[in-house]
Amino acid sequence: MAICPWCEAGTISSVSDTVYWELPDGTRAVEITETPSLACANCQAKFQSDEIVKEIENQLFLIDTKLLEKKTTYNELMTMKRLLKRNYFDFS
């Protein structure tokens, strides 16, 4: 079991959660429901893994965000048609 990075005392488990994300151009934020997340039973922190954060941010760079509703599910976001094959600005 993984230990919570926030309180360093509790164990974390996988959950689905609603998150709010600012678009790369800063024009607005979107609500993303059913997002894979982690939760700590001890401190009640809910957060996303680095991998999920990177997936969301990359997808928001690659899609036409004008077509994105104010509210979407994680799966709907990740299956939206991409304008580019990959994020050419990610040098990691």
Side-chain angles (χ1 to χ4, degrees), residues 12-21 32-40 45-50 52-53 56 74:
I12 55 174
S13 58
S14 297
V15 297
S16 287
D17 199 17
T18 297
V19 297
Y20 300 88
W21 224 273
I32 308 170
T33 61
E34 302 173 29
T35 304
S37 302
L38 302 169
C40 174
K46 289 185 182 175
F47 54 97
Q48 293 68 51
S49 67
D50 291 341
I52 294 295
V53 169
I56 292 171
Y74 174 80

Side-chain angles (χ1 to χ4, degrees), residues 51-68:
E51 294 81 16
I52 294 295
V53 169
K54 186 171 182 147
E55 285 180 13
I56 292 171
E57 289 181 350
N58 277 337
Q59 186 70 349
L60 290 173
F61 271 114
L62 300 173
I63 64 171
D64 183 356
T65 57
K66 292 178 184 81
L67 302 176
L68 189 60

